[in-house]
Amino acid sequence: MAQSTDGGKAPDSARRSERSRRAIYDAALTMVGEVGYARTTIEGIAARAGVGKQTIYRWWPSKGAVLLEAFLDLGERAAREAGAEEAAYEIPDTGDLEADLKTVLRATVDELNNPAYDLPYRALAAEGIIDPALGGEFTRRLLEPQLRLYVERLRAARSAGAGGAGALRDGLDLRVALELLVGPLAHRWLLRTLPLTHDYADAVVEYALYGMTARS
Amino acid sequence: MAQSTDGGKAPDSARRSERSRRAIYDAALTMVGEVGYARTTIEGIAARAGVGKQTIYRWWPSKGAVLLEAFLDLGERAAREAGAEEAAYEIPDTGDLEADLKTVLRATVDELNNPAYDLPYRALAAEGIIDPALGGEFTRRLLEPQLRLYVERLRAARSAGAGGAGALRDGLDLRVALELLVGPLAHRWLLRTLPLTHDYADAVVEYALYGMTARS
């Protein structure tokens, strides 16, 4: 807002900056998907984005920093496409835990089947698997905030006293429980065992949730 | 056995061959763990193993073929170290499904925490994630035979009419069910979220199995 007070020039400048930023994110994600994390360079990103590499260095200190923000932005765009009101990954709470988890795991399946997400995320995952520092940082900053949302949704269901298929069991470790939801999808995606489908997402939710809920 | 009939020379030759083969497997796995799949070469393996590269080409047509056999051999050695009578990955059947699954997932945790297994498998997984042909082949030849053993063990439990925590539910898709066991471990291992421990393996078995068994 501060820019709009100084006479018309700054808003144009802000728009140009926003265009450049978007072009840089797109170029970074395309490049990492095409040539992998290790061979992605600031020079390559700048050339694809049609900006000078000093523009990139002015905003980010390193390749890793550009890519981290590009991936964060990609996650926000995916959330918006999935219909989230906030530009952030979120899990709905309609009061029906099973339905809500199916909604979010189906959206995850769609994202992983979309080359615009699949290719850069694969490149990032592959590099993180062999580089502990990179893998640790991206997990902490990209993945863990998403996983915490599952813990929060499960905790809300426990407080409400009922999931779609019964109340969550007492003493359940929610951090472990959420991994029974997301682990199987990651396994199929990363290890290429069988297709990722909505039916699969539904079955994972049903089986995992059945294991989390109390017996009548 | 055929070699032992031709007078003393062939057994030595067979022993030399076996020594060379073991040296080549070890060199291949060490190299892939150190420099990654893409930068592993037949020349590099030969130099580390102390054999001529023609020795390798006489037995295997390609780098991928050597590495596939080296990984198969690594899996067999891991199974032997875990006390399997057969030199193959196996799941015990003591009649107590929960105890048997904990035994095998704890052994998997130990393997993934052992650098001799972790480093080469990570290098292989990283390459498979970005190379669909390689990932598909290694999954089909290395991973799927292991996954089938889970399906068989679950099927045996269903036939026997009782797992450790009740009978397996009717209509359960065993191929999906096993992924609730192995997916969470792969997720922690590949994405470096939290430590892989025996307690975690036990919790995954308990939560997954609770979801697979009938309510009383």
Side-chain angles (χ1 to χ4, degrees), chain B:
Chain B
M1 287 290 107
Q3 290 109 325
S4 67
T5 63
D6 75 344
K9 179 165 171 294
D12 283 351
S13 163
R15 270 195 298 273
R16 274 198 305 277
S17 292
E18 183 48 35
R19 264 203 313 275
S20 296
R21 184 178 295 271
R22 160 101 1 258
I24 290 164
Y25 288 159
D26 289 344
L29 294 170
T30 302
M31 188 169 188
V32 84
E34 282 179 11
V35 305
Y37 189 94
R39 289 196 286 153
T40 294
T41 58
I42 295 275
E43 288 73 9
I45 296 169
R48 279 166 189 257
V51 303
K53 73 180 186 179
Q54 286 315 315
T55 300
I56 298 181
Y57 280 119
R58 193 160 60 236
W59 289 335
W60 297 280
S62 67
K63 168 177 100 173
V66 186
L67 282 167
L68 177 63
E69 285 200 12
F71 276 103
L72 286 167
D73 180 72
L74 182 65
E76 289 174 5
R77 276 185 284 162
R80 278 195 299 268
E81 282 178 20
E85 289 178 23
E86 297 296 315
Y89 191 87
E90 65 174 24
I91 299 176
D93 188 349
T94 65
D96 182 340
L97 178 62
E98 182 173 330
D100 292 345
L101 290 173
K102 285 181 178 176
T103 297
V104 74
L105 287 203
R106 284 173 169 224
T108 303
V109 162
D110 291 342
E111 195 175 314
L112 296 174
N113 283 327
N114 177 347
Y117 302 103
D118 173 66
L119 292 176
Y121 276 120
R122 279 191 181 279
L124 179 64
E127 191 71 14
I129 283 166
I130 52 177
D131 178 340
L134 183 86
E137 183 180 356
F138 274 79
T139 288
R140 204 163 49 247
R141 298 188 61 178
L142 282 175
L143 181 61
E144 284 292 346
Q146 295 182 7
L147 299 185
R148 275 197 295 277
L149 298 179
Y150 285 88
V151 173
E152 286 163 18
R153 182 66 189 83
L154 293 172
R155 189 175 291 125
R158 185 153 66 188
S159 299
L168 288 184
R169 292 197 279 146
D170 289 337
L172 196 72
D173 182 329
L174 301 181
R175 185 59 180 71
V176 172
L178 80 89
E179 294 180 54
L180 272 77
L181 293 163
V182 301
L185 268 70
H187 190 262
R188 282 207 176 189
W189 176 55
L190 291 173
L191 300 176
R192 304 175 191 277
T193 52
L194 290 171
L196 278 169
T197 63
H198 283 188
D199 281 351
Y200 178 66
D202 289 354
V204 168
V205 170
E206 287 164 18
Y207 292 8
L209 207 53
Y210 201 80
M212 293 180 205
T213 51
R215 317 248 151 168
S216 56

Side-chain angles (χ1 to χ4, degrees), chain A residues 129 139 191-192 200 210 215, chain B residues 129 179 191-192 210 215:
Chain A
I129 283 167
T139 288
L191 299 177
R192 305 176 191 276
Y200 179 66
Y210 200 81
R215 317 248 151 167
Chain B
I129 283 166
E179 294 180 54
L191 300 176
R192 304 175 191 277
Y210 201 80
R215 317 248 151 168

